[in-house]
């Protein structure tokens, strides 16, 4: 939250996408040096984004790493940690619509005539 808040201080009107970690079979439930598993890390990141939004930052958004590269893509991770070329291609393909969905501006409304609004 501190990092996102610091970025927000310098860029008050810029949309920010926060992405949680992608799938890693051996690290999903294993506690790492941080004292947390990847599953716990994802949950904490989602909670941080929720709190930032709840406290007024409507321009911070979450992209769940599992939506970008999840368990179904494990075969694209030959060493269990790093995606191969096909895995990175999958990530690019899967993240694009997620980014667009969060960053696409709402269509402007134009008032004309007697209070009629046209998109």
């Amino acid at each position: 939250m501190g990092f996102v808040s610091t970025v927000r201080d310098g860029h008050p009107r810029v949309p920010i996408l926060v992405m949680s970690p992608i799938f890693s079979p051996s690290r999903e439930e294993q506690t790492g040096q941080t004292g947390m598993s990847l599953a716990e890390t994802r949950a904490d990141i989602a909670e941080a984004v929720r709190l930032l939004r709840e406290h007024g930052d409507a321009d911070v958004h979450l992209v769940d790493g599992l939506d970008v590269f999840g368990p179904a893509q494990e075969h694209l991770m030959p060493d269990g940690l790093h995606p191969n070329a096909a895995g990175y291609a999958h990530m690019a393909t899967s993240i694009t619509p997620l980014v667009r969905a969060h960053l696409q501006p709402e269509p402007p409304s134009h008032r004309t005539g007697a209070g009629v609004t046209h998109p």
Side-chain angles (χ1 to χ4, degrees):
M1 287 178 63
F3 175 75
V4 173
S5 294
T6 298
V7 172
R8 174 58 70 224
D9 288 344
H11 305 280
R13 292 183 177 82
V14 173
I16 297 173
L17 293 179
V18 177
M19 184 173 139
S20 64
I22 66 170
F23 179 71
S24 180
S26 65
R27 293 163 177 79
E28 289 301 315
E29 299 302 325
Q30 177 184 352
T31 301
Q33 290 180 344
T34 63
M36 298 170 55
S37 68
L38 277 185
E40 292 168 325
T41 300
R42 275 189 214 96
D44 280 1
I45 290 170
E47 177 66 4
V49 171
R50 185 192 70 74
L51 288 170
L52 289 166
R53 291 180 62 80
E54 183 179 287
H55 286 90
D57 191 344
D59 281 330
V60 64
H61 308 279
L62 176 68
V63 172
D64 187 332
L66 294 178
D67 291 338
V68 176
F69 193 97
Q73 288 74 47
E74 183 174 358
H75 67 284
L76 301 174
M77 189 177 274
D79 67 357
L81 179 60
H82 304 97
N84 60 19
Y88 285 115
H90 171 82
M91 289 175 68
T93 300
S94 62
I95 199 170
T96 299
L98 300 172
V99 170
R100 282 188 180 138
H102 287 298
L103 297 183
Q104 191 164 18
E106 297 200 16
S109 297
H110 304 285
R111 287 202 162 272
T112 61
V116 177
T117 302
H118 298 282

